[in-house]
Amino acid sequence: MSEEEANPYDLLGVSLESTEAEIRTAYRQRSLKVHPDRNRGNPDAARKFHELNQAYELLLDPLRRMAVDAKMRVKEARKARFANYDAKRKGLVDELEERERAFKKSRVEKQQQEKERWHENERVMEEGRKLREDREKDLRRKEKERAEAERSATGELEPPALGSLDTTVRLKYAISARPSLTTPSSLSTILSPFGTLDESSIMLSTKPVPPKKPKRVTALVPFRQIGGAFAAVCASGRAESGLENIEVAWVEGKEPELIGWLKKMGKLGNADRPEGGSQDKSTAEVPGTTPIPPPNRSTASVSSPASTPFSTFPSTFPDFDSPPTANTNSSTAPGLDYESLTLMRLREAERARLEREIREREAVEGE
């Protein structure tokens, strides 16, 4: 009998020590209960009755009963042995579970400690970062204060860079007032006393445009040095300078930063364009140069630069490329040459852009 087969003793309801008489009695009682004739509505009645008959025949056969008894005893012994094994296994399982719980607990505690250490490290790093930033700010502040103190002590500031249009001026005048100024050469002749200029780069624009008869002229005149441009702007509208009925202004509509820097440093007098009929300005004082006397109105001439001095602009500029020196008693100060920058500025694309801007501005003013 295999382990999967039904136990004949359990089917008959007897024990291993039961006699044949007890087996027969138990069979008669059970067979009456499971007989198919008495259980017509039970589909399992025939199967149960057949199993009961097989168990009855097996137990009545002495040899077969001895084999079944041996198997039953082996099975009982195995069951008892496994019961002992189950007890040991249960103890091992309990011990293993206890170890796992202890391991999980220690791991959670370790993770918590690592998390606390990480937070502590982050806090220390944040405090260190704040301290470092505070130190850097303090160092930058001290460096700034030191640099300002040095600049204040030397009294010198770095000059601003020269803009691409800082040496260009805009002229506006009516043709009826100055009918001879209709070509670049004529403008070059009248403006040459103020400084060297590039006649080939002078641009003129008339309004209204042909074929209508022009009435007003707008011209862009680039000087080679900012000194000439400044002198021309200061002499705007002045008859003794040959600029009567001519409005001269900076092409960008504002004074270049370099001129403001020179005024601030005291290397250029606070000379502005004359307003109304006022034409007398103080002489600009530049280290290393002699003040220029006011012009003699009775002998002023446009054709000679020496006979047309401009009291609002120094004769020379300090050299910004050389380091500043404390010696202000030198006899001469070299002029500032911006020819290379002017040539870069006078590219064809720049000329086209300026001409377009002038025409757009004139169109707006005409409206």
Side-chain angles (χ1 to χ4, degrees):
M1 182 184 69
S2 63
E3 294 182 0
E4 289 78 9
E5 295 178 353
N7 189 349
Y9 291 101
D10 292 339
L11 292 175
L12 293 174
V14 295
S15 62
L16 293 175
E17 291 79 14
S18 299
T19 61
E20 292 185 2
E22 294 174 347
I23 293 173
R24 293 178 186 276
T25 302
Y27 171 71
R28 285 196 296 269
Q29 294 175 354
R30 292 293 180 92
S31 61
L32 293 175
K33 293 181 179 179
V34 300
H35 198 279
D37 293 340
R38 292 191 174 185
N39 298 277
R40 296 182 182 274
N42 188 0
D44 295 333
R47 180 182 60 79
K48 292 180 179 180
F49 185 73
H50 177 69
E51 292 176 354
L52 187 63
N53 285 333
Q54 287 184 341
Y56 175 68
E57 292 176 357
L58 188 149
L59 293 180
L60 290 182
D61 187 345
L63 295 177
R64 294 175 64 188
R65 182 177 179 181
M66 289 177 61
V68 171
D69 291 345
K71 290 181 180 180
M72 293 294 294
R73 290 189 181 91
V74 171
K75 186 176 180 180
E76 291 294 334
R78 184 185 301 170
K79 185 177 179 180
R81 186 168 62 254
F82 285 169
N84 294 331
Y85 288 162
D86 290 341
K88 291 182 180 179
R89 188 180 296 110
K90 184 178 180 181
L92 292 175
V93 169
D94 293 341
E95 183 179 358
L96 181 61
E97 291 178 351
E98 182 64 25
R99 288 182 180 179
E100 288 181 353
R101 286 192 294 269
F103 175 75
K104 289 180 180 179
K105 184 178 179 180
S106 62
R107 184 176 61 184
V108 170
E109 292 177 353
K110 184 177 180 180
Q111 291 177 353
Q112 185 67 23
Q113 292 176 359
E114 291 178 353
K115 187 176 181 181
E116 291 177 356
R117 283 198 299 270
W118 182 82
H119 284 297
E120 181 66 17
N121 292 337
E122 288 294 322
R123 184 185 64 80
V124 173
M125 291 173 62
E126 182 67 19
E127 291 180 355
R129 184 183 63 80
K130 290 181 179 180
L131 289 175
R132 185 175 64 255
E133 289 179 353
D134 293 341
R135 277 186 191 173
E136 290 176 355
K137 289 180 180 179
D138 188 54
L139 289 175
R140 285 195 295 268
R141 180 181 57 79
K142 291 181 178 179
E143 182 66 20
K144 185 177 180 181
E145 292 177 355
R146 185 184 64 80
E148 290 178 355
E150 290 180 355
R151 285 197 297 267
S152 300
T154 57
E156 293 290 334
L157 294 174
E158 289 294 329
L162 185 69
S164 60
L165 300 177
D166 286 354
T167 60
T168 303
V169 296
R170 180 193 295 110
L171 278 68
K172 290 184 179 181
Y173 54 91
I175 294 181
S176 59
R178 305 301 296 265
S180 60
L181 300 180
T182 56
T183 61
S185 60
S186 59
L187 288 176
S188 177
T189 301
I190 196 174
L191 294 175
S192 59
F194 299 98
T196 306
L197 48 85
D198 190 354
E199 182 178 341
S200 62
S201 300
I202 297 176
M203 294 185 295
L204 283 82
S205 175
T206 59
K207 182 182 178 182
V209 296
K212 296 181 180 180
K213 183 178 180 180
K215 297 181 180 180
R216 292 188 61 82
V217 176
T218 300
L220 294 184
V221 180
F223 285 85
R224 293 190 180 277
Q225 292 189 356
I226 194 173
F230 179 75
V233 171
C234 291
S236 174
R238 297 171 66 171
E240 70 274 13
S241 301
L243 298 179
E244 185 178 5
N245 298 324
I246 299 178
E247 178 186 350
V248 185
W250 297 106
V251 69
E252 292 184 322
K254 61 180 181 179
E255 187 178 77
E257 293 182 359
L258 182 58
I259 298 297
W261 180 84
L262 290 170
K263 292 180 180 179
K264 180 179 179 181
M265 298 304 298
K267 296 182 179 181
L268 183 66
N270 296 325
D272 298 323
R273 291 181 53 189
E275 300 293 339
S278 176
Q279 298 177 353
D280 294 334
K281 296 293 179 179
S282 61
T283 302
E285 296 181 0
V286 180
T289 61
T290 304
I292 302 174
N296 186 356
R297 293 191 179 96
S298 62
T299 61
S301 175
V302 178
S303 60
S304 175
S307 63
T308 313
F310 303 101
S311 61
T312 58
F313 196 78
S315 60
T316 58
F317 267 94
D319 187 2
F320 300 121
D321 295 331
S322 62
T325 59
N327 183 14
T328 60
N329 297 322
S330 60
S331 59
T332 59
L336 189 62
D337 185 11
Y338 296 103
E339 182 176 357
S340 59
L341 295 177
T342 305
L343 292 177
M344 290 176 58
R345 172 183 56 77
L346 297 175
R347 294 177 300 179
E348 291 299 330
E350 189 70 16
R351 293 180 60 185
R353 184 181 69 83
L354 292 174
E355 187 174 358
R356 185 174 61 255
E357 290 180 356
I358 292 173
R359 289 179 178 175
E360 292 176 355
R361 193 172 299 176
E362 288 177 350
V364 173
E365 292 177 357
E367 295 176 357

